[in-house]
Amino acid sequence: MKTRMKSRRGLVGTALLGLLLYCAASFAASAATDDPLEDPRLHSAGFLRGHPDLRFRLNGLDSQDAGRATEAFGFFQRAARYGDKPSQAVIAEMLWDGRGVARNRALAYAWMDLAAERGYTGFLALRERYWAAMNQAERAEALRTGDEVFAQYGDAVAKPRLAGAMRRARNSMTGSRTGMKLDMKIYAGASEGSAQFDNRLFYDDRFWDPDQYQALMDRAWKTRRIGSARRDEVRALPDSLPRSRIQGGGFPE
């Protein structure tokens, strides 16, 4: 994983660089290892089946690595359907720059407004930079078309999608409801030397309870400076910023 992450750092464009550096490490804030995604248990089909936000984000990174920007954009959209805020922000940057998709600054703003829905400061800073750079016609278009983006990808619909996927995947796992949780073993694939592991990290409630999983993501992303957002931009964000210019309202507690 470290080798692949290093290669990604060298291949992505400047605007996407900071976003993608951390896209595969969102669990790091409270996991048992420095980067739990290096653990083979969290790369198994069973785990990723229950975390389509992460699975499609990783697919997008792989496509980005291979130079298939249009394909990557599609994968990030699929991750976005499950409320993956980093993927939503990547979509915004790709639209803003015209990378793998036609350039559309108004739509890019709508996506970054969506990515900032939970008040993550890095995405807020980029959202405010977009707003300042747009002309009045672009701003009006962003506000006019943004409702459709929120209707398909906002937390009100995306969180239940993810919770359902997590519940179905965990309920289908052998031993997850049988009292065998701590006795089972998970075997990594041949590429990992078929090593045998205790599965307690795999079944940790932080990764399977929707509320705990959301809290984990919030801790990982809430105050992170993202991508091309400068430190002075993050520090200068006013307390009175709305959660969303498109949807209105304050930030969630």
Side-chain angles (χ1 to χ4, degrees):
M1 172 63 76
K2 290 181 179 179
T3 300
R4 294 177 67 196
M5 287 300 293
K6 286 179 181 178
S7 69
R8 285 169 183 159
R9 297 180 192 196
L11 289 171
V12 298
T14 301
L16 289 172
L17 177 59
L19 290 169
L20 296 181
L21 287 179
Y22 295 104
C23 271
S26 297
F27 296 136
S30 64
T33 62
D34 290 338
D35 182 359
L37 287 183
E38 294 181 6
D39 193 305
R41 288 167 291 189
L42 304 191
H43 283 267
S44 75
F47 185 87
L48 292 177
R49 183 168 58 250
H51 298 80
D53 55 330
L54 178 60
R55 180 171 85 249
F56 291 126
R57 190 202 305 172
L58 293 174
N59 289 156
L61 287 169
D62 287 339
S63 296
Q64 182 76 36
D65 276 356
R68 300 190 297 268
T70 300
E71 181 180 272
F73 186 85
F75 279 127
F76 290 132
Q77 280 188 308
R78 295 176 76 176
R81 280 179 48 80
Y82 296 93
D84 191 59
K85 294 305 179 186
S87 290
Q88 292 170 2
V90 171
I91 289 169
E93 291 272 70
M94 294 179 81
L95 284 163
W96 188 263
D97 293 335
R99 190 189 309 275
V101 66
R103 191 179 190 213
N104 187 328
R105 301 206 315 176
L107 188 57
Y109 175 85
W111 275 97
M112 193 61 79
D113 192 70
L114 176 66
E117 182 179 17
R118 298 173 195 160
Y120 298 168
T121 55
F123 299 149
L124 280 169
L126 289 174
R127 186 192 76 176
E128 293 309 294
R129 182 188 293 183
Y130 284 12
W131 187 255
M134 291 192 300
N135 58 41
Q136 290 301 320
E138 288 173 324
R139 290 179 178 181
E141 179 68 13
L143 297 179
R144 183 167 56 251
T145 62
D147 281 337
E148 184 176 351
V149 174
F150 272 84
Q152 294 186 60
Y153 299 96
D155 276 347
V157 293
K159 283 184 176 181
R161 279 192 202 113
L162 179 59
M166 293 169 69
R167 181 179 62 253
R168 289 188 296 273
R170 189 167 190 181
N171 286 346
S172 70
M173 291 177 190
T174 303
S176 62
R177 308 183 308 280
T178 64
M180 296 174 60
K181 192 160 96 172
L182 299 183
D183 297 327
M184 291 177 58
K185 300 296 180 182
I186 293 174
Y187 291 84
S191 63
E192 301 293 339
S194 297
Q196 180 176 319
F197 298 96
D198 185 286
N199 70 342
R200 280 172 289 189
L201 177 62
F202 183 99
Y203 281 118
D204 195 306
D205 284 341
R206 289 171 296 177
F207 303 140
W208 293 101
D209 177 81
D211 291 336
Q212 291 190 49
Y213 184 75
Q214 182 59 63
L216 183 60
M217 292 299 172
D218 287 345
R219 287 194 295 275
W221 290 95
K222 190 76 172 180
T223 60
R224 178 174 288 156
R225 185 174 66 91
I226 301 296
S228 55
R230 300 188 301 268
R231 295 183 187 279
D232 59 329
E233 289 179 312
V234 173
R235 287 195 298 266
L237 287 172
D239 294 335
S240 59
L241 271 179
R243 176 186 60 189
S244 166
R245 288 189 176 89
I246 295 169
Q247 295 283 286
F251 293 122
E253 296 296 331

